[in-house]
Amino acid sequence: MTERSFALGDRRVRVLLGHDCLDEVAQVLTALDADRFVFVTDDTVQGVVGGKLAGVVEQTAPALLLSHPPGEAYKNLATLSRFIDLALDFGVTRRSVVVAVGGGIPGNIAGLLAGLLFRGIRLVHVPTTVIAACDSVISAKQAVNTAHAKNTVGLYHPPELIVVDLGVVAVGSPRDLRSGTCETVKNALAIAPGQIPALRRLLRPRADYTAADLGEIFDLSLTVKSRLLLRDPHEKHAGLLLEYGHTVGHALELASAAPDSAARAIKHGEAVALGMAAAADVAHRLGVLGADAVDVHEELIARVGVCRCLTAGLDTETVMRHIGFDNKRGYQAHSSSHVPMVLLSALGVPLGPGQRCLTPVPRRAVRAAVHELLRRGRECGGRCSRGRGAHA
Ligand SMILES: NC(=O)c1ccc[n+]([C@@H]2O[C@H](COP(=O)([O-])OP(=O)(O)OC[C@H]3O[C@@H](n4cnc5c(N)ncnc54)[C@H](O)[C@@H]3O)[C@@H](O)[C@H]2O)c1
Ligand SMILES: [Zn+2]
Ligand SMILES: [Zn+2]
C-alpha cells in the first residue's frame, strides 16, 4: 500500500491506498491497539468485504459487526440509536475504534456513531465506493437524515485513518462508479481546471474503470479537497465551492426519489453533473460565463457518461419546489425570489461575492435553466449512445 496524508483542523489524517490488500488492511487496523472494534457496514457490502474484514480482525481483538439495509432511507436516527445501544452492549470504550466499511451512507452513520460515543472515539474509513473514497471520507462532516431533509443532524468528527482497497472500489456498479466520478469532474470545473486534461484522458462513459484509473481519480480528488480543507476544515466558506452543481442537483435527486415520482431515482453524482449543466446555463443566461466554458461543461459531462434523459418523468415545478428547500438557505438572508447558488465566471473562478462564493440568482433564471434541462432530456428520450448500457 502507498501512503498519503492531509490536514483536517489540528489533525493529520493518514490515507493508505492499495489494490486487493484486505489482509494488509486488517493488519493496519490491528496495529491501532484498540480494545474493541465496531464495524459499520450495509448488508450488500457485508457480503462483498465487510464480514470478511471483521472476521480477520476478530482474530486479534473483539469485533462487532453492525449492518443496515443499503439506502438513504436507513441513514437516520433510528439506525444510529440502534447501533449506539448495540455498541454499548458490546462493551465499547474510549480505546475502541469504529470502522466504516462501505459507501457514503455507512460512512456517515459510523462517523456520527464515533463522534457521539464518549464525545468522540477513533474513526477509520474503509470506503468501498468512488463517492465515499473520493468525496465523503475526505471530510470531517458526519450527518444523518431526518424526515425533514438530508443531513440535518450531525457534527464534525475527523477520521484517524482512511484505507482504500481500489480492487474493492472497482467492483461497484457502473452507475455508482460514474456517480462518484462526477464529483471529481465538479472539482475540476469549479476549483482546479488544471485537472481537465487528466480527466479527458481518464473519463469513459461506460465507467469501466480499472483500479489504476480509480487510483488516479482518487489522487485528483484528494489534491483538491485537501487544499480546500486546509483553509476551511468545516467546509463553510471556500469549501462551499464543493457545492457547485448541488443546488439543482440535490433537487433532481430528491424529486426523482420521492415515493410519488414517475422518474427513476437519479444518483447523487449524476444529479450533480446535471446540476452543473444547469448552473453553467444560468451563468451564461446572466451573461457572466462564456460559451467556451459552457462547452467544457458539456464535454466533460458527456465524457463521464451522464445525459439529461436521466430526468425523464420529472417536471419543472416539482424540481423548483425542492430547490426552495436547498441546504444553503440560511447562509444568506433568504429571499423567496432568489436562490443562492455557486456560479462560475470562468472555469475555476467563482462569481459569488465574499468568502462564501454564493450568488443570489433570480428564481426565474433558475426555472428557465431547469426547464431547458428537462426539455433536452425529453428530446433525447434515452436515444443517446451513452444511454444504452451506460445508464444500466
Ligand atoms: N462530506 C460528506 O459527509 C459527504 C460527501 C459526499 C456524500 N456524502 C453522502 O454519501 C452518501 C452517498 O454515498 P454512496 O453513493 O457511496 O452511497 P451508498 O453507501 O449507499 O453506496 C451505494 C451503493 O453501493 C453499494 N456498494 C458499496 N460498495 C460496494 C462495492 N464495493 N461493491 C458493490 N456494491 C457496493 C452499497 O450497498 C449501496 O447500495 C449520501 O448519503 C451522501 O449524503 C457525504
Ligand atoms: Zn456531492
Ligand atoms: Zn440521453
PDB file of all heavy atoms in Angstrom, residues 306-310 376-377 379-388 391, ligand 3:
ATOM      1  N   VAL A 306     -23.015  10.991 -18.390  1.00  0.00           N
ATOM      2  CA  VAL A 306     -24.334  11.382 -17.869  1.00  0.00           C
ATOM      3  C   VAL A 306     -25.084  12.151 -18.951  1.00  0.00           C
ATOM      4  O   VAL A 306     -24.508  13.023 -19.599  1.00  0.00           O
ATOM      5  CB  VAL A 306     -24.177  12.249 -16.596  1.00  0.00           C
ATOM      6  CG1 VAL A 306     -25.515  12.839 -16.173  1.00  0.00           C
ATOM      7  CG2 VAL A 306     -23.590  11.408 -15.460  1.00  0.00           C
ATOM      8  N   CYS A 307     -26.352  11.805 -19.146  1.00  0.00           N
ATOM      9  CA  CYS A 307     -27.170  12.509 -20.148  1.00  0.00           C
ATOM     10  C   CYS A 307     -28.423  13.068 -19.470  1.00  0.00           C
ATOM     11  O   CYS A 307     -28.929  12.500 -18.497  1.00  0.00           O
ATOM     12  CB  CYS A 307     -27.555  11.550 -21.267  1.00  0.00           C
ATOM     13  SG  CYS A 307     -28.626  12.330 -22.499  1.00  0.00           S
ATOM     14  N   ARG A 308     -28.936  14.138 -20.018  1.00  0.00           N
ATOM     15  CA  ARG A 308     -30.117  14.801 -19.461  1.00  0.00           C
ATOM     16  C   ARG A 308     -31.348  13.894 -19.452  1.00  0.00           C
ATOM     17  O   ARG A 308     -32.303  14.147 -18.733  1.00  0.00           O
ATOM     18  CB  ARG A 308     -30.415  16.073 -20.247  1.00  0.00           C
ATOM     19  CG  ARG A 308     -29.414  17.204 -19.987  1.00  0.00           C
ATOM     20  CD  ARG A 308     -29.620  18.326 -20.992  1.00  0.00           C
ATOM     21  NE  ARG A 308     -28.846  19.528 -20.709  1.00  0.00           N
ATOM     22  CZ  ARG A 308     -27.562  19.694 -21.014  1.00  0.00           C
ATOM     23  NH1 ARG A 308     -26.892  18.713 -21.588  1.00  0.00           N
ATOM     24  NH2 ARG A 308     -26.940  20.831 -20.737  1.00  0.00           N
ATOM     25  N   CYS A 309     -31.320  12.837 -20.272  1.00  0.00           N
ATOM     26  CA  CYS A 309     -32.517  11.974 -20.330  1.00  0.00           C
ATOM     27  C   CYS A 309     -32.736  11.214 -19.015  1.00  0.00           C
ATOM     28  O   CYS A 309     -33.806  10.622 -18.817  1.00  0.00           O
ATOM     29  CB  CYS A 309     -32.458  11.021 -21.521  1.00  0.00           C
ATOM     30  SG  CYS A 309     -31.031   9.941 -21.554  1.00  0.00           S
ATOM     31  N   LEU A 310     -31.764  11.259 -18.099  1.00  0.00           N
ATOM     32  CA  LEU A 310     -31.991  10.684 -16.760  1.00  0.00           C
ATOM     33  C   LEU A 310     -33.144  11.373 -16.039  1.00  0.00           C
ATOM     34  O   LEU A 310     -33.696  10.844 -15.076  1.00  0.00           O
ATOM     35  CB  LEU A 310     -30.727  10.842 -15.897  1.00  0.00           C
ATOM     36  CG  LEU A 310     -29.561   9.886 -16.160  1.00  0.00           C
ATOM     37  CD1 LEU A 310     -28.343  10.334 -15.365  1.00  0.00           C
ATOM     38  CD2 LEU A 310     -29.951   8.472 -15.753  1.00  0.00           C
ATOM     39  N   ARG A 376     -34.414  19.201 -22.893  1.00  0.00           N
ATOM     40  CA  ARG A 376     -33.379  18.484 -23.665  1.00  0.00           C
ATOM     41  C   ARG A 376     -33.331  17.002 -23.270  1.00  0.00           C
ATOM     42  O   ARG A 376     -32.986  16.154 -24.081  1.00  0.00           O
ATOM     43  CB  ARG A 376     -32.018  19.154 -23.483  1.00  0.00           C
ATOM     44  CG  ARG A 376     -31.947  20.466 -24.255  1.00  0.00           C
ATOM     45  CD  ARG A 376     -30.631  21.171 -24.099  1.00  0.00           C
ATOM     46  NE  ARG A 376     -29.499  20.419 -24.602  1.00  0.00           N
ATOM     47  CZ  ARG A 376     -28.237  20.813 -24.471  1.00  0.00           C
ATOM     48  NH1 ARG A 376     -27.963  21.959 -23.853  1.00  0.00           N
ATOM     49  NH2 ARG A 376     -27.253  20.096 -24.943  1.00  0.00           N
ATOM     50  N   GLY A 377     -33.696  16.710 -22.021  1.00  0.00           N
ATOM     51  CA  GLY A 377     -33.778  15.307 -21.581  1.00  0.00           C
ATOM     52  C   GLY A 377     -34.862  14.575 -22.352  1.00  0.00           C
ATOM     53  O   GLY A 377     -34.664  13.453 -22.826  1.00  0.00           O
ATOM     54  N   GLU A 379     -36.034  15.470 -25.219  1.00  0.00           N
ATOM     55  CA  GLU A 379     -35.611  15.437 -26.622  1.00  0.00           C
ATOM     56  C   GLU A 379     -34.748  14.194 -26.885  1.00  0.00           C
ATOM     57  O   GLU A 379     -34.874  13.542 -27.907  1.00  0.00           O
ATOM     58  CB  GLU A 379     -34.807  16.700 -26.901  1.00  0.00           C
ATOM     59  CG  GLU A 379     -34.613  17.055 -28.335  1.00  0.00           C
ATOM     60  CD  GLU A 379     -33.939  18.438 -28.411  1.00  0.00           C
ATOM     61  OE1 GLU A 379     -32.694  18.516 -28.329  1.00  0.00           O
ATOM     62  OE2 GLU A 379     -34.673  19.432 -28.510  1.00  0.00           O
ATOM     63  N   CYS A 380     -33.875  13.882 -25.936  1.00  0.00           N
ATOM     64  CA  CYS A 380     -33.031  12.687 -26.102  1.00  0.00           C
ATOM     65  C   CYS A 380     -33.882  11.428 -25.937  1.00  0.00           C
ATOM     66  O   CYS A 380     -33.791  10.507 -26.751  1.00  0.00           O
ATOM     67  CB  CYS A 380     -31.893  12.676 -25.085  1.00  0.00           C
ATOM     68  SG  CYS A 380     -31.013  11.105 -25.131  1.00  0.00           S
ATOM     69  N   GLY A 381     -34.697  11.429 -24.868  1.00  0.00           N
ATOM     70  CA  GLY A 381     -35.603  10.301 -24.647  1.00  0.00           C
ATOM     71  C   GLY A 381     -34.891   8.966 -24.519  1.00  0.00           C
ATOM     72  O   GLY A 381     -35.464   7.922 -24.814  1.00  0.00           O
ATOM     73  N   GLY A 382     -33.637   8.973 -24.109  1.00  0.00           N
ATOM     74  CA  GLY A 382     -32.905   7.713 -23.918  1.00  0.00           C
ATOM     75  C   GLY A 382     -32.247   7.201 -25.193  1.00  0.00           C
ATOM     76  O   GLY A 382     -31.701   6.109 -25.217  1.00  0.00           O
ATOM     77  N   ARG A 383     -32.300   8.024 -26.262  1.00  0.00           N
ATOM     78  CA  ARG A 383     -31.730   7.553 -27.537  1.00  0.00           C
ATOM     79  C   ARG A 383     -30.228   7.809 -27.636  1.00  0.00           C
ATOM     80  O   ARG A 383     -29.576   7.371 -28.573  1.00  0.00           O
ATOM     81  CB  ARG A 383     -32.426   8.251 -28.714  1.00  0.00           C
ATOM     82  CG  ARG A 383     -33.816   7.688 -29.010  1.00  0.00           C
ATOM     83  CD  ARG A 383     -34.411   8.325 -30.252  1.00  0.00           C
ATOM     84  NE  ARG A 383     -34.638   9.750 -30.074  1.00  0.00           N
ATOM     85  CZ  ARG A 383     -35.737  10.265 -29.535  1.00  0.00           C
ATOM     86  NH1 ARG A 383     -36.695   9.474 -29.104  1.00  0.00           N
ATOM     87  NH2 ARG A 383     -35.878  11.562 -29.379  1.00  0.00           N
ATOM     88  N   CYS A 384     -29.650   8.530 -26.664  1.00  0.00           N
ATOM     89  CA  CYS A 384     -28.241   8.874 -26.746  1.00  0.00           C
ATOM     90  C   CYS A 384     -27.392   7.600 -26.770  1.00  0.00           C
ATOM     91  O   CYS A 384     -27.763   6.595 -26.171  1.00  0.00           O
ATOM     92  CB  CYS A 384     -27.843   9.723 -25.536  1.00  0.00           C
ATOM     93  SG  CYS A 384     -28.247   8.943 -23.980  1.00  0.00           S
ATOM     94  N   SER A 385     -26.228   7.680 -27.390  1.00  0.00           N
ATOM     95  CA  SER A 385     -25.360   6.499 -27.418  1.00  0.00           C
ATOM     96  C   SER A 385     -24.928   6.175 -25.997  1.00  0.00           C
ATOM     97  O   SER A 385     -24.669   5.034 -25.656  1.00  0.00           O
ATOM     98  CB  SER A 385     -24.142   6.770 -28.288  1.00  0.00           C
ATOM     99  OG  SER A 385     -23.484   7.920 -27.811  1.00  0.00           O
ATOM    100  N   ARG A 386     -24.853   7.226 -25.155  1.00  0.00           N
ATOM    101  CA  ARG A 386     -24.444   6.992 -23.765  1.00  0.00           C
ATOM    102  C   ARG A 386     -25.555   6.320 -22.973  1.00  0.00           C
ATOM    103  O   ARG A 386     -25.311   5.705 -21.964  1.00  0.00           O
ATOM    104  CB  ARG A 386     -24.088   8.324 -23.087  1.00  0.00           C
ATOM    105  CG  ARG A 386     -22.935   9.021 -23.719  1.00  0.00           C
ATOM    106  CD  ARG A 386     -22.544  10.234 -22.900  1.00  0.00           C
ATOM    107  NE  ARG A 386     -23.600  11.222 -22.800  1.00  0.00           N
ATOM    108  CZ  ARG A 386     -23.885  12.095 -23.756  1.00  0.00           C
ATOM    109  NH1 ARG A 386     -23.226  12.083 -24.875  1.00  0.00           N
ATOM    110  NH2 ARG A 386     -24.842  12.979 -23.583  1.00  0.00           N
ATOM    111  N   GLY A 387     -26.800   6.508 -23.401  1.00  0.00           N
ATOM    112  CA  GLY A 387     -27.936   5.989 -22.641  1.00  0.00           C
ATOM    113  C   GLY A 387     -27.946   4.482 -22.567  1.00  0.00           C
ATOM    114  O   GLY A 387     -28.206   3.909 -21.533  1.00  0.00           O
ATOM    115  N   ARG A 388     -27.642   3.820 -23.681  1.00  0.00           N
ATOM    116  CA  ARG A 388     -27.720   2.360 -23.696  1.00  0.00           C
ATOM    117  C   ARG A 388     -26.583   1.774 -22.879  1.00  0.00           C
ATOM    118  O   ARG A 388     -25.424   2.086 -23.101  1.00  0.00           O
ATOM    119  CB  ARG A 388     -27.625   1.845 -25.135  1.00  0.00           C
ATOM    120  CG  ARG A 388     -28.870   2.146 -25.957  1.00  0.00           C
ATOM    121  CD  ARG A 388     -28.841   1.365 -27.253  1.00  0.00           C
ATOM    122  NE  ARG A 388     -27.659   1.677 -28.059  1.00  0.00           N
ATOM    123  CZ  ARG A 388     -27.597   2.728 -28.883  1.00  0.00           C
ATOM    124  NH1 ARG A 388     -28.606   3.555 -28.971  1.00  0.00           N
ATOM    125  NH2 ARG A 388     -26.511   2.955 -29.592  1.00  0.00           N
ATOM    126  N   HIS A 391     -26.438   3.695 -18.754  1.00  0.00           N
ATOM    127  CA  HIS A 391     -27.348   4.058 -17.667  1.00  0.00           C
ATOM    128  C   HIS A 391     -27.851   2.838 -16.904  1.00  0.00           C
ATOM    129  O   HIS A 391     -28.654   2.964 -16.000  1.00  0.00           O
ATOM    130  CB  HIS A 391     -28.539   4.859 -18.213  1.00  0.00           C
ATOM    131  CG  HIS A 391     -28.152   6.242 -18.654  1.00  0.00           C
ATOM    132  ND1 HIS A 391     -29.003   7.096 -19.275  1.00  0.00           N
ATOM    133  CD2 HIS A 391     -26.978   6.896 -18.542  1.00  0.00           C
ATOM    134  CE1 HIS A 391     -28.374   8.234 -19.541  1.00  0.00           C
ATOM    135  NE2 HIS A 391     -27.144   8.131 -19.109  1.00  0.00           N
TER     136      HIS A 391
HETATM  137 ZN    ZN B   3     -29.757  10.610 -23.285  1.00  0.00          ZN
END
